[in-house]
Amino acid sequence: MVDFNRFTLANGLRVLVHEDDTTPMAVLNILYDVGARDEEQDKTGFAHLFEHLMFGGSVNIPSYDEPLQRVGGENNAFTSNDITNYYITLPAVNLETAFWLESDRMLSLAFSEKSLETQRNVVCEEFKQRYLNQPYGDVWLKLRPLAYKTHPYRWATIGQDLKQIEDAKMEDVKAFFKKHYNPQNAIMVVGGNVKIEEVKVLAEKWFAPIPTGEKYVRNLPKEAVQTEGRKDTVITDVPLNAIYMAFKMPARIDSEYQAFDLMSDVLSQGQSSRLYHSLLKEQQLFSDIHAYISSSIDEGLFVIEGKLVEGVSVENAEAAIWAELDKLKAEEVTDVEITKVKNKSESIMVFAEMSLLDKAMNLAYYELLGDAATLNTEIDKYLAVTPARIQQAAKATFTKEQCSTLYYLTTQLTTQDA
């Protein structure tokens, strides 16, 4: 159970406070309701680029890290297709430093050509190293547009084209900041050895003067129901052939989301899971194989990916995956299987409550989903999932008409086969 209090400033900033006097530390977490799905098609990668720009200094504080390090603090951030999240951890006695730093860059981020050029180069280098210059690195650059045709989930957080980041202009950056980085589009969580009265005073002092910002209505295109299987093949210099299969699954707040999450665990959590036991251990078709979900706020993806053992044909490997999916549709999972994955989910959630930072990030995310209080009832939704619901989810999802398949083939094997 994560206890918290909530209040909202006049400018729309939502503030959640979790008091924990068992630690000398504090955390300040700010979630901005903006991710890659909010980008324009010809300006992708901006949400991630902006994550980097936010550490380039503000008008009044040219060096973000220096004052934080002086008070024993650490910070970081991450961007997804749905959100951008920034956090600071520091001794609770120095909490006001975190308020000072975060409020100043929300109010007056420094926009300089030098900072833009520096961070643009950093992001471009990351694009090259992580996505273009390593084996299987560009899988999501190809799988997303195969699975999505209209929704902006069709591009990855890094962006869909390196040139769009290279061409980012100052006016584009300023417009993005003005639209998304303001109090009414943010959720702040303060946790640790703090008191709500103290947090209210600091919030009013440092954040209340910041203008609300203009409210906009998010109007994302809805993906049409997929009625025909999609396939793409990439031939490149990788060690092993690989298969990536993506199926649409319900949005994060859908009542069946937890059934899909548990179903992915039945398939690939641990050495006793179905895909590992059957396809890797017994049939020895794959060197590794996984099933997982994207956990997207809008309609997400249920993904199965595996790297084939050398000499195994892609056709046989793919047929073996379908055989396992057909078993899920034909028969309910066993009581032993569902108990195992439920216990694992429960232990993960309990473990997350031991981390001050995890609690803060989770409170912010569940508040974005609708109500932070549902964090405390999430495990009940998992425990309520029945084998029949998992079977129904499998039947509704695992059809060849709804599958987007990416084949990643080695140039070496292709040449030999030829």
Side-chain angles (χ1 to χ4, degrees):
M1 175 70 70
V2 181
D3 296 321
F4 68 94
N5 292 291
R6 178 197 290 116
F7 63 91
T8 303
L9 299 181
N11 59 13
L13 178 66
R14 286 173 278 176
V15 184
L16 282 64
V17 183
H18 167 64
E19 299 181 9
D20 181 359
D21 60 9
T22 66
T23 174
M25 302 299 290
V27 58
L28 189 151
N29 186 94
I30 296 186
L31 181 155
Y32 288 94
D33 185 12
V34 55
R37 65 174 179 163
D38 297 300
E39 298 164 344
E40 299 176 29
Q41 185 174 350
D42 61 344
K43 295 183 178 70
T44 65
F46 267 56
H48 178 244
L49 173 62
F50 225 92
E51 175 201 323
H52 285 259
L53 286 170
M54 285 286 277
F55 291 97
S58 57
V59 172
N60 301 305
I61 311 170
S63 174
Y64 181 88
D65 288 329
E66 184 179 333
L68 184 60
Q69 290 170 354
R70 284 204 303 263
V71 297
E74 296 181 348
N75 71 92
N76 214 327
F78 64 86
T79 310
S80 74
N81 285 79
D82 295 315
I83 66 171
T84 309
N85 193 86
Y86 301 84
Y87 59 87
I88 293 175
T89 58
L90 75 175
V93 293
N94 297 323
L95 179 61
E96 188 164 9
T97 298
F99 274 82
W100 170 54
L101 289 169
E102 286 296 344
S103 64
D104 199 65
R105 66 177 178 177
M106 181 188 286
L107 172 65
S108 52
L109 187 68
F111 293 105
S112 69
E113 289 291 348
K114 180 180 179 181
S115 176
L116 176 57
E117 181 181 2
T118 299
Q119 299 306 327
R120 188 169 47 204
N121 289 339
V122 170
V123 172
C124 287
E125 191 60 30
E126 179 182 344
F127 197 119
K128 295 172 185 176
Q129 289 186 0
R130 293 183 56 189
Y131 295 86
L132 302 182
N133 297 336
Q134 66 170 300
Y136 315 103
D138 63 347
V139 163
W140 281 99
L141 301 182
K142 300 181 182 300
L143 187 59
R144 281 189 174 276
L146 186 63
Y148 293 102
K149 296 304 178 184
T150 57
H151 194 284
Y153 282 162
R154 65 185 182 275
W155 54 78
T157 304
I158 194 70
Q160 61 183 347
D161 187 344
L162 182 60
K163 191 174 188 305
Q164 292 182 356
I165 301 171
E166 292 173 336
D167 292 345
K169 301 293 190 296
M170 182 61 72
E171 58 266 29
D172 299 326
V173 169
K174 288 184 176 180
F176 192 89
F177 179 81
K178 182 180 179 181
K179 182 176 182 179
H180 299 291
Y181 279 76
N182 49 63
Q184 56 85 28
N185 205 44
I187 299 169
M188 181 167 70
V189 178
V190 183
N193 197 357
V194 301
K195 298 296 182 184
I196 186 170
E197 294 81 8
E198 172 194 19
V199 174
K200 283 183 177 180
V201 170
L202 292 174
E204 287 288 344
K205 176 181 178 180
W206 291 105
F207 283 92
I210 302 176
T212 300
E214 296 179 13
K215 186 67 177 176
Y216 71 93
V217 178
R218 181 182 278 117
N219 186 24
L220 301 179
K222 186 175 176 59
E223 192 76 16
V225 175
Q226 185 173 335
T227 58
E228 188 174 59
R230 302 166 186 163
K231 296 185 177 183
D232 190 18
T233 300
V234 176
I235 300 175
T236 188
D237 186 17
V238 290
L240 296 168
N241 286 346
I243 299 176
Y244 300 84
M245 300 165 62
F247 303 84
K248 300 294 191 325
M249 64 164 284
R252 181 61 183 82
I253 62 172
D254 189 278
S255 61
E256 290 307 306
Y257 168 86
Q258 290 76 19
F260 281 80
D261 196 6
L262 291 177
M263 182 164 64
S264 71
D265 289 343
V266 168
L267 284 173
S268 74
Q269 186 186 85
Q271 297 187 8
S272 63
S273 61
R274 293 192 175 193
L275 294 181
Y276 184 95
H277 184 75
S278 175
L279 306 189
L280 192 149
K281 188 175 180 180
E282 288 190 343
Q283 300 182 54
Q284 298 181 7
L285 300 174
F286 291 86
S287 60
D288 68 6
I289 188 163
H290 306 279
Y292 54 90
I293 61 176
S294 64
S295 299
S296 304
I297 287 182
D298 296 331
E299 185 182 44
L301 294 178
F302 189 108
V303 180
I304 299 169
E305 65 170 61
K307 294 181 176 64
L308 282 60
V309 169
E310 188 171 353
V312 173
S313 73
V314 173
E315 293 77 15
N316 288 343
E318 184 177 8
I321 293 175
W322 278 108
E324 292 301 321
L325 299 182
D326 288 340
K327 289 178 185 178
L328 272 180
K329 295 191 291 184
E331 299 179 2
E332 294 182 0
V333 299
T334 66
D335 290 338
V336 171
E337 285 178 304
I338 198 167
T339 298
K340 183 192 76 168
V341 295
K342 284 182 179 181
N343 288 344
K344 183 64 174 179
S345 295
E346 187 170 19
S347 68
I348 291 173
M349 293 180 194
V350 170
F351 186 76
E353 291 188 8
M354 299 173 64
S355 165
L356 183 60
L357 178 58
D358 284 348
K359 284 186 286 188
M361 289 193 294
N362 284 334
L363 284 170
Y365 184 67
Y366 278 82
E367 182 72 6
L368 178 67
L369 294 180
D371 183 359
T374 57
L375 170 62
N376 293 319
T377 59
E378 181 71 9
I379 189 57
D380 297 330
K381 297 177 182 178
Y382 279 86
L383 297 179
V385 174
T386 62
R389 284 173 60 187
I390 291 180
Q391 183 183 28
Q392 184 58 41
K395 286 181 177 180
T397 304
F398 298 137
T399 67
K400 294 189 177 181
E401 293 76 19
Q402 298 181 89
C403 183
S404 299
T405 308
L406 176 66
Y407 304 101
Y408 222 94
L409 307 182
T410 72
T411 52
Q412 180 182 4
L413 290 179
T414 304
T415 302
Q416 290 175 352
D417 292 344

